[in-house]
Amino acid sequence: QVQLVESGGGLVQPGGSLTLSCAASGSIFSIHAMGWYRQVPGKQRELVAHISSGGTAGYADAAKGRFTISRDNAKNTGYLQMNSLKPEDKAVYYCQVNKYWGKGTQVTVPS
């Protein structure tokens, strides 16, 4: 069984930065793609960024130029570096690897 644990969320002012981490248990992390999603109550969960097992990254339009997804396979950990945060980035951010989801970490950016 695989467990994913997100961390790094919190309150940040507009224009600030946060880096989220996704720590994966087990031995399968390195062979799977990883994605970061976010969700606001009452809205669909949306893809923010994804990265292949080999490190090829892709981003939603809202994240391009501001967010960077990365992974350290030796540490079984993925990251989402978020810069220039905006109020519309406020959401619970979730990590996904294979069929597994973390429980999410809250990012709050006040208006």
Side-chain angles (χ1 to χ4, degrees), residues 11-48:
L11 175 68
V12 63
Q13 296 297 313
S17 299
L18 283 174
T19 298
L20 307 182
S21 297
C22 174
S25 67
S27 60
I28 55 86
F29 177 80
S30 65
I31 66 171
H32 293 290
M34 180 191 72
W36 284 99
Y37 295 73
R38 66 188 183 188
Q39 188 168 25
V40 175
K43 297 181 65 177
Q44 292 283 328
R45 188 171 299 185
E46 65 178 11
L47 178 69
V48 177

Side-chain angles (χ1 to χ4, degrees), residues 15 31 33 51 62 71 74 81:
I31 66 171
I51 185 168
R71 65 193 298 159
Q81 179 181 306

Side-chain angles (χ1 to χ4, degrees), residues 19-103:
T19 298
L20 307 182
S21 297
C22 174
S25 67
S27 60
I28 55 86
F29 177 80
S30 65
I31 66 171
H32 293 290
M34 180 191 72
W36 284 99
Y37 295 73
R38 66 188 183 188
Q39 188 168 25
V40 175
K43 297 181 65 177
Q44 292 283 328
R45 188 171 299 185
E46 65 178 11
L47 178 69
V48 177
H50 59 91
I51 185 168
S52 73
S53 61
T56 300
Y59 301 91
D61 287 343
K64 289 179 180 177
R66 299 188 299 124
F67 294 3
T68 302
I69 188 170
S70 62
R71 65 193 298 159
D72 187 339
N73 287 341
K75 296 181 178 179
N76 290 333
T77 303
Y79 305 93
L80 183 68
Q81 179 181 306
M82 304 185 293
N83 299 322
S84 301
L85 283 162
K86 305 174 181 179
E88 52 262 43
D89 296 318
K90 178 183 177 182
V92 177
Y93 285 72
Y94 299 89
C95 175
Q96 185 195 36
V97 177
N98 196 11
K99 65 180 181 180
Y100 300 100
W101 291 89
K103 296 295 184 181

